[in-house]
């Protein structure tokens, strides 16, 4: 049995997958706010309760909003800041009395969609989260690529090509892809261009309904997404790019973006497919379970 845990800023979710990949159990609890040890104990409590209920012991994989430093073993780049600088894997292993695997939540998304999701059976997969932030993960032949710095796929903090970079990202760099392609980034662009303050989800629905200002914002978004993904295609040359996160529900992206990215890709034709996630919100927790083969 594989247990996957998605440790998010507001909730911690667990899933148990049987040998056939079927869901045996799924539970969630609120994340203890700002309390590291309480967070560790909440994860351990979910694992213990699941194993008691199912009468079996499982492997444990945990998806986190950050990365584990390969040199220090401490958590970095986490937006749940109480995790930063903590030896999370060591502490979970001590409480759970077994080896635990940790991965970034965008990596878990990519792994889930490559394992039995939208890109099942495809050799090279780039998974992208377009939500409150922008993250990415790379799976090659069913295996997650972590990288020497544990940042493989962190495309959200590359500079957006073709823009004048004035704004500074929370990460301290200027003009990050995330500043344009996250939900707040889409809303900020609309505000700059039209003076109107609308959340991303309303810009999407008004654009579809024929509002010209919203439509123009969505077209700028698609052009930027195409430019930014073309850079990934030139380096990784993936078979599929799978989109997840709130903005991935804009169906128009799957037609419009591949129409635009050819101009920037160094190839006469582009066979890379742009796909919508299959597992939606469940991808993070499913991918954490898949950290054990
Ligand atoms: Zn950044």
């Amino acid at each position: 049995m594989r247990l996957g845990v998605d440790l998010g800023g507001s909730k911690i979710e667990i899933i148990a997958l049987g040998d056939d990949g079927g869901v045996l159990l799924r539970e969630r609890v609120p994340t203890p706010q700002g309390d590291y040890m309480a967070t560790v104990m909440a994860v351990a409590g979910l694992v213990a309760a699941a194993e008691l209920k199912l009468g079996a012991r499982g492997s444990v994989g945990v998806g986190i909003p950050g990365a584990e430093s390969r040199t220090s073993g401490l958590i970095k780049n986490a937006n749940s800041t109480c995790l930063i600088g903590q030896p999370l894997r060591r502490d979970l292993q001590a409480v759970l009395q077994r080896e635990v695997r940790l991965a970034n939540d965008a990596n878990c998304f990519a792994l889930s969609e490559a394992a039995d999701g939208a890109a099942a059976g495809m050799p090279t997969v780039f998974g992208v989260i377009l939500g409150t932030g922008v993250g990415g993960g790379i799976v090659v032949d069913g295996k997650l690529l972590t990288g020497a710095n544990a940042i493989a796929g962190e495309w959200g903090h590359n500079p957006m090509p073709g823009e004048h970079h004035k704004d500074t990202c929370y990460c301290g760099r200027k003009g990050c892809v995330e500043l344009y392609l996250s939900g707040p980034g889409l809303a900020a662009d609309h505000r700059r261009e039209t003076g109107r303050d609308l959340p991303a989800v309303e810009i999407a629905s008004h654009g579809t309904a024929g509002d010209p200002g919203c439509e123009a914002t969505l077209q700028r978004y698609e052009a930027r997404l195409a430019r930014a993904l073309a850079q990934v295609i030139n380096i990784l040359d993936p078979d599929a790019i799978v989109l997840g996160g709130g903005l991935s529900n804009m169906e128009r992206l799957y037609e419009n973006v591949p129409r635009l990215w050819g101009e920037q890709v160094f190839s006469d034709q582009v066979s890379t497919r742009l796909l919508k996630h299959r597992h939606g919100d469940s991808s993070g927790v499913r991918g954490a379970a898949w950290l054990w083969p």
Side-chain angles (χ1 to χ4, degrees):
M1 174 173 80
R2 296 182 181 91
L3 297 172
V5 176
D6 185 14
L7 173 46
S10 60
K11 65 171 173 58
I12 307 173
E13 187 167 5
I14 189 167
I15 200 168
L17 299 182
D19 292 337
D20 61 354
V23 178
L24 305 174
L25 167 146
R26 199 170 165 176
E27 307 278 354
R28 60 170 62 177
V29 295
T31 307
Q33 293 302 303
D35 186 338
Y36 171 68
M37 268 326 284
T39 302
V40 170
M41 296 317 291
V43 172
L46 277 172
V47 170
E51 293 187 331
L52 188 65
K53 196 164 177 182
L54 296 168
R57 189 177 161 93
S59 58
V60 177
V62 181
I64 56 168
E68 181 186 41
S69 163
R70 293 188 74 163
T71 47
S72 66
L74 306 179
I75 303 301
K76 62 177 182 178
N77 298 352
N79 50 23
S80 295
T81 47
C82 82
L83 300 178
I84 290 176
Q86 298 288 355
L88 177 63
R89 189 159 58 90
R90 193 191 72 195
D91 289 339
L92 285 173
Q93 288 183 159
V95 180
L96 292 169
Q97 291 291 298
R98 78 197 80 177
E99 200 187 327
V100 170
R101 292 187 178 172
L102 289 188
N104 173 263
D105 46 14
N107 285 5
C108 289
F109 168 78
L111 188 57
S112 165
E113 292 296 333
D116 65 351
M122 296 194 190
T124 305
V125 178
F126 184 55
V128 176
I129 304 271
L130 300 172
T132 315
V134 172
I138 299 168
V139 178
V140 180
D141 294 332
K143 279 190 66 179
L144 202 51
L145 190 68
T146 306
N149 304 293
I151 56 163
E154 286 291 0
W155 154 85
H157 298 280
N158 276 6
M160 170 62 79
E163 301 289 342
H164 295 291
H165 303 312
K166 286 190 290 254
D167 294 341
T168 304
C169 182
Y170 80 87
C171 76
R173 290 161 192 82
K174 277 198 191 303
C176 289
V177 160
E178 178 166 306
L179 289 173
Y180 296 92
L181 298 183
S182 63
L186 174 65
D189 179 60
H190 189 68
R191 196 165 49 238
R192 270 194 305 271
E193 295 292 331
T194 68
R196 285 194 296 161
D197 216 349
L198 282 178
V201 62
E202 285 187 33
I203 297 167
S205 63
H206 293 186
T208 307
D211 177 296
C214 291
E215 174 60 27
T217 297
L218 295 176
Q219 288 186 14
R220 284 193 303 279
Y221 184 88
E222 287 164 349
R224 286 171 176 144
L225 181 57
R227 287 204 301 274
L229 288 178
Q231 297 200 316
V232 175
I233 297 173
N234 280 341
I235 293 170
L236 185 65
D237 202 4
D239 297 277
I241 296 173
V242 187
L243 302 184
L247 295 173
S248 71
N249 294 317
M250 292 195 285
E251 298 295 337
R252 56 186 284 160
L253 298 182
Y254 303 94
E255 194 183 323
N256 294 345
V257 173
R259 199 163 39 73
L260 296 167
W261 70 21
E263 225 174 279
Q264 317 276 330
V265 175
F266 184 59
S267 173
D268 54 353
Q269 47 105 23
V270 186
S271 303
T272 301
R273 295 177 65 197
L274 185 66
L275 302 171
K276 188 177 178 182
H277 58 81
R278 179 182 293 167
H279 295 304
D281 289 345
S282 304
S283 258
V285 74
R286 293 181 71 94
W290 284 113
L291 289 172
W292 290 89

